Short mmCIF file of all heavy atoms in Angstrom, two decimals:
data_model
loop_
_atom_site.label_atom_id
_atom_site.label_comp_id
_atom_site.label_asym_id
_atom_site.label_seq_id
_atom_site.Cartn_x
_atom_site.Cartn_y
_atom_site.Cartn_z
N ALA I 304 9.26 29.04 14.37
CA ALA I 304 10.20 29.71 13.50
C ALA I 304 10.69 28.89 12.43
O ALA I 304 10.91 29.22 11.26
CB ALA I 304 11.34 30.24 14.39
N ALA I 352 11.61 36.44 7.48
CA ALA I 352 11.89 37.64 8.27
C ALA I 352 11.16 37.53 9.65
O ALA I 352 11.73 37.80 10.69
CB ALA I 352 11.42 38.86 7.53
N ALA I 353 9.87 37.01 9.54
CA ALA I 353 9.15 36.95 10.87
C ALA I 353 9.87 35.84 11.78
O ALA I 353 9.77 35.88 12.93
CB ALA I 353 7.72 36.62 10.48
N ALA I 354 10.39 34.76 11.01
CA ALA I 354 10.99 33.68 11.92
C ALA I 354 12.27 34.15 12.58
O ALA I 354 12.48 33.90 13.71
CB ALA I 354 11.44 32.60 10.93
N ASN I 355 12.94 34.97 11.90
CA ASN I 355 14.23 35.58 12.36
C ASN I 355 13.80 36.48 13.64
O ASN I 355 14.36 36.49 14.72
CB ASN I 355 15.04 36.48 11.42
CG ASN I 355 16.02 35.70 10.65
OD1 ASN I 355 16.74 34.90 11.35
ND2 ASN I 355 16.03 35.75 9.35
N ALA I 356 12.74 37.24 13.45
CA ALA I 356 12.34 38.30 14.60
C ALA I 356 11.83 37.36 15.81
O ALA I 356 12.09 37.76 16.92
CB ALA I 356 11.19 39.20 13.97
N LEU I 357 11.13 36.34 15.49
CA LEU I 357 10.57 35.45 16.61
C LEU I 357 11.65 34.90 17.42
O LEU I 357 11.73 34.91 18.65
CB LEU I 357 9.67 34.42 16.06
CG LEU I 357 9.04 33.42 17.09
CD1 LEU I 357 8.18 34.28 17.97
CD2 LEU I 357 8.29 32.39 16.37
N LEU I 358 12.80 34.48 16.76
CA LEU I 358 13.98 33.90 17.46
C LEU I 358 14.62 34.99 18.20
O LEU I 358 15.14 34.69 19.38
CB LEU I 358 14.87 33.13 16.44
CG LEU I 358 14.44 31.87 15.71
CD1 LEU I 358 15.39 31.46 14.67
CD2 LEU I 358 14.18 30.81 16.82
N GLU I 359 14.71 36.13 17.70
CA GLU I 359 15.33 37.28 18.39
C GLU I 359 14.63 37.54 19.69
O GLU I 359 15.19 37.79 20.72
CB GLU I 359 15.38 38.47 17.46
CG GLU I 359 16.50 38.45 16.40
CD GLU I 359 17.87 38.54 16.88
OE1 GLU I 359 18.14 39.18 17.95
OE2 GLU I 359 18.86 37.93 16.19
N GLN I 360 13.29 37.63 19.47
CA GLN I 360 12.43 38.05 20.61
C GLN I 360 12.48 36.91 21.88
O GLN I 360 12.42 37.26 23.03
CB GLN I 360 11.01 38.19 20.23
CG GLN I 360 10.69 39.33 19.27
CD GLN I 360 9.38 39.26 18.57
OE1 GLN I 360 8.57 38.38 19.03
NE2 GLN I 360 9.14 40.05 17.67
N SER I 361 12.82 35.71 21.38
CA SER I 361 12.89 34.58 22.28
C SER I 361 14.23 34.41 22.92
O SER I 361 14.49 33.41 23.70
CB SER I 361 12.41 33.33 21.75
OG SER I 361 11.07 33.43 21.28
N GLY I 362 15.18 35.17 22.48
CA GLY I 362 16.56 35.25 23.03
C GLY I 362 17.57 34.41 22.28
O GLY I 362 18.75 34.19 22.73
N TYR I 363 17.21 33.81 21.16
CA TYR I 363 18.13 33.06 20.39
C TYR I 363 18.83 33.95 19.43
O TYR I 363 18.39 34.39 18.36
CB TYR I 363 17.31 31.95 19.51
CG TYR I 363 16.62 30.93 20.47
CD1 TYR I 363 15.33 31.21 20.90
CD2 TYR I 363 17.22 29.72 20.91
CE1 TYR I 363 14.68 30.30 21.70
CE2 TYR I 363 16.49 28.91 21.85
CZ TYR I 363 15.26 29.13 22.19
OH TYR I 363 14.68 28.28 22.99
N ARG I 364 20.09 34.30 19.80
CA ARG I 364 20.93 35.22 19.06
C ARG I 364 22.23 34.65 18.68
O ARG I 364 22.83 33.72 19.31
CB ARG I 364 21.03 36.57 19.87
CG ARG I 364 19.74 37.16 20.21
CD ARG I 364 19.93 38.47 20.92
NE ARG I 364 18.67 39.31 21.17
CZ ARG I 364 18.02 39.09 22.34
NH1 ARG I 364 18.39 38.25 23.30
NH2 ARG I 364 16.84 39.78 22.47
N ASP I 365 22.84 35.22 17.69
CA ASP I 365 24.15 34.94 17.20
C ASP I 365 25.19 35.87 17.96
O ASP I 365 25.35 36.98 17.50
CB ASP I 365 24.24 35.09 15.74
CG ASP I 365 25.68 34.86 15.20
OD1 ASP I 365 26.51 34.30 15.94
OD2 ASP I 365 25.95 35.17 14.00
N ARG I 372 22.87 30.86 15.64
CA ARG I 372 22.32 31.27 16.86
C ARG I 372 22.52 30.40 18.09
O ARG I 372 22.83 29.15 17.77
CB ARG I 372 20.76 31.36 16.81
CG ARG I 372 20.32 32.49 15.72
CD ARG I 372 18.82 32.55 15.66
NE ARG I 372 18.41 33.39 14.56
CZ ARG I 372 18.27 34.72 14.66
NH1 ARG I 372 18.41 35.39 15.90
NH2 ARG I 372 17.81 35.47 13.57
N ILE I 408 17.99 31.38 8.72
CA ILE I 408 17.55 32.07 9.97
C ILE I 408 18.49 31.69 11.15
O ILE I 408 18.06 31.80 12.38
CB ILE I 408 16.14 31.61 10.27
CG1 ILE I 408 15.95 30.07 10.56
CG2 ILE I 408 15.11 32.09 9.28
CD1 ILE I 408 14.79 29.51 11.13
#
Side-chain angles (χ1 to χ4, degrees):
N355 272 313
L357 182 61
L358 291 172
E359 288 286 334
Q360 294 167 11
S361 300
Y363 297 90
R364 298 185 176 92
D365 175 14
R372 297 178 184 275
I408 62 169

